[in-house]
Amino acid sequence: MTSPVGAMAGAGRNGVVAARHLARWLSLAATPTFAIMAVLTAMAGGGPADMLCAAGQGSLLGGMVPMYLLMSAFHSAAWLRLMAGRRTAAGVNASSFETRARARSSG
């Protein structure tokens, strides 16, 4: 039996890079998709699916809208990593800019 990693090794480095790139974009798509689904479900009102998903009567987490909001929150890690990476990159650029500015003013 061939593992997924072994199957990807035969595809070459470009295939692995493309698969990682696709996985990254899919993980970024999950949060807004679930948020939109929560809004659309809230606008449409409760239906038969809302009755099926309500685990306990009177539960705060019962229903489709809270479920979609929780799923959106749980899948937000990709967005948090993206924002943290951009802030780190901006911080590195700002500090290197400040270092160059100090070097110019002292020399």
Side-chain angles (χ1 to χ4, degrees):
M1 184 166 158
T2 305
S3 70
V5 175
M8 289 301 288
R13 182 159 170 77
N14 290 339
V16 172
V17 170
R20 287 183 181 160
H21 189 69
L22 178 63
R24 180 174 175 242
W25 283 107
L26 284 174
S27 66
L28 288 172
T31 299
T33 300
F34 286 124
I36 290 168
M37 290 170 71
V39 170
L40 292 175
T41 303
M43 288 178 15
D50 218 10
M51 295 300 263
L52 288 173
C53 291
Q57 300 298 330
S59 171
L60 291 175
L61 299 178
M64 297 295 287
V65 174
M67 180 194 70
Y68 286 138
L69 290 174
L70 283 172
M71 291 174 71
S72 181
F74 291 148
H75 285 89
S76 65
W79 283 98
L80 296 174
R81 278 191 303 269
L82 180 68
M83 288 186 289
R86 288 191 178 180
R87 285 188 180 176
T88 302
V92 168
N93 292 339
S95 65
S96 63
F97 175 76
E98 291 169 2
T99 303
R100 282 183 268 150
R102 283 188 209 128
R104 286 184 197 144
S105 64
S106 65

